[in-house]
Amino acid sequence: MSTGKRPVSRSTAEQRGQKAQTYPATSRLLAEVFGTFLLVFGGVGTALYASAFPTSANTLGVGFVGVALAFGLTVMAGIYAVGHISGGHFNPAVTVGLAIAGRTEWRHVPGYVVAQIVGGAVASSALAVIAAGGPGNYFAAARDSGFASNGFGDASPGGFGLGAVFLTEVILTGVFVALILSITAKPEYKAVAPLGIGLTLTLIHLISIPISNTSVNPARSIAAALYGGPTALSQLWVFLVAPLVGAAIAGILHRQLSRTRALALTD
């Protein structure tokens, strides 16, 4: 006998909208842990170990371009690998932006954010263990240099102040989330969406590594700050607030434009 109640769906709005296979909450959260782990381990790891290997005078170092590519390639690989399970957010700002835009239910947000923070923290902890096994005082040197954390003022690679860093993070996170909202809304772009998202993240890093060491992702910032010392921890709030502000702006604009388009189609 029917109770008249609708069954509780285990899928997200994204999966239902794309008619994708659905997965239970545990699988989705583990996918977010894995994807964020990959992003932090690959991106921050490149910044720590390969950006100037073994010294700034050595031309084998990959530099800013290599670090930018590392972040873009890891997010692209993560989305291709597990994006079909969780949506491939790997970033609290992306999750919040999609929720504000109506593309992810708010009930999924807390679990996703916790999973992303855990994935990032596990990755940075693994990097710290590796650094501890490096030559000389490798870990101490990495910690003293900020452990690839984000920062402003003296902690900014280019010495940029708080206002410039905050504005940069708001704008670039907004652009990033807007791009994700747009490209994932088109079924015909499904196969190339990870590539577009990865290349956009690469571009964002090329723009802003000298300014803020590029966050646009609170989970990435938390992960690096755990081992970045007191300055990184004291400035962490900027890289929690600014990306969320940018994501909120993108989500609100996307929702408003979608509503306007829907009204236009009904006229």
Side-chain angles (χ1 to χ4, degrees):
M1 180 176 177
S2 173
T3 62
K5 294 183 179 180
R6 296 176 61 186
V8 177
S9 172
R10 296 189 303 174
S11 62
T12 65
E14 294 165 274
Q15 291 165 331
R16 292 196 300 274
Q18 297 173 7
K19 297 181 173 60
Q21 179 181 354
T22 60
Y23 293 86
T26 301
S27 297
R28 295 199 304 270
L29 296 179
L30 287 175
E32 287 297 302
V33 170
F34 170 79
T36 313
F37 174 92
L38 180 62
L39 174 67
V40 172
F41 192 83
V44 174
T46 300
L48 288 174
Y49 301 124
S51 61
F53 175 86
T55 67
S56 59
N58 192 314
T59 56
L60 290 177
V62 298
F64 285 175
V65 174
V67 173
L69 283 170
F71 276 102
L73 289 172
T74 52
V75 78
M76 180 182 69
I79 296 172
Y80 273 125
V82 298
H84 61 289
I85 299 175
S86 66
H89 299 185
F90 316 147
N91 182 339
V94 171
T95 299
V96 170
L98 265 63
I100 291 173
R103 294 272 295 279
T104 292
E105 298 97 325
W106 282 102
R107 64 190 175 92
H108 295 304
V109 171
Y112 269 44
V113 170
V114 170
Q116 291 153 3
I117 292 172
V118 168
V122 172
S124 63
S125 297
L127 291 171
V129 171
I130 294 170
N137 296 318
Y138 203 105
F139 174 75
R143 182 190 58 211
D144 292 343
S145 65
F147 211 79
S149 296
N150 307 112
F152 58 86
D154 291 340
S156 159
F160 288 82
L162 171 59
V165 167
F166 194 95
L167 182 60
T168 299
E169 289 289 328
V170 169
I171 292 173
L172 293 181
T173 308
V175 168
F176 187 48
V177 173
L179 178 281
I180 292 171
L181 286 166
S182 178
I183 198 169
T184 57
K186 302 175 178 68
E188 62 270 27
Y189 292 166
K190 182 177 180 180
V192 298
L195 178 61
I197 293 168
L199 289 175
T200 301
L201 188 59
T202 298
L203 174 61
I204 284 170
H205 277 77
L206 290 174
I207 295 169
S208 59
I209 287 177
I211 301 171
S212 64
N213 214 21
T214 311
S215 172
V216 303
N217 184 339
R220 171 261 189 270
S221 296
I222 292 170
L226 290 175
Y227 299 97
T231 299
L233 289 171
S234 68
Q235 296 186 356
L236 179 60
W237 67 272
V238 174
F239 305 100
L240 304 181
V241 176
L244 292 176
V245 170
I249 293 171
I252 291 169
L253 289 175
H254 181 86
R255 188 162 192 151
Q256 184 59 41
L257 290 172
S258 298
R259 184 180 295 117
T260 301
R261 180 176 180 275
L263 290 174
L265 291 175
T266 59
D267 287 344

